[in-house]
Amino acid sequence: RSSRVAVEWSYKAIKQNFTVMDFKRKLKVLEAPIAVSYISSVLLWNFKQCFGHGGEVSAAFLRSAPTLEKYVEHIDST
């Protein structure tokens, strides 16, 4: 249950910080690159978390965010 709530907090934070992801009229298939916009928003949000703004999700799991270098290494290795 707590994992689900933490994921929902992340969706909420992305919608609040990247308002392009909240315009339902503009998020239509074949009219905008929705997947690219969402992946870019999530990546930028994760970068922000790495800079020390852990937020609600980090607090809920009692974990700190990784450094930006470690995060990028992890992305590069997958």
Side-chain angles (χ1 to χ4, degrees):
R1 171 129 171 95
S2 65
S3 299
R4 178 176 167 209
V5 171
V7 170
E8 289 173 359
W9 287 338
S10 297
Y11 286 130
K12 177 189 80 169
I14 290 168
K15 282 178 64 175
Q16 287 176 342
N17 286 279
F18 301 95
T19 54
V20 70
M21 299 310 304
D22 198 25
F23 291 124
K24 293 179 183 174
R25 295 181 309 244
K26 293 188 178 190
L27 295 177
K28 295 181 181 174
V29 176
L30 302 177
E31 288 190 20
I34 299 167
V36 172
S37 297
Y38 187 75
I39 290 170
S40 300
S41 299
V42 170
L43 186 64
L44 290 172
W45 177 252
N46 288 342
F47 284 173
K48 180 180 176 185
Q49 302 310 302
C50 290
F51 283 120
H53 306 283
E56 294 175 297
V57 177
S58 293
F61 288 103
L62 302 173
R63 303 282 306 207
S64 59
T67 64
L68 184 61
E69 292 81 14
K70 285 187 179 185
Y71 181 71
V72 172
E73 283 177 16
H74 177 72
I75 292 173
D76 194 33
S77 68
T78 56

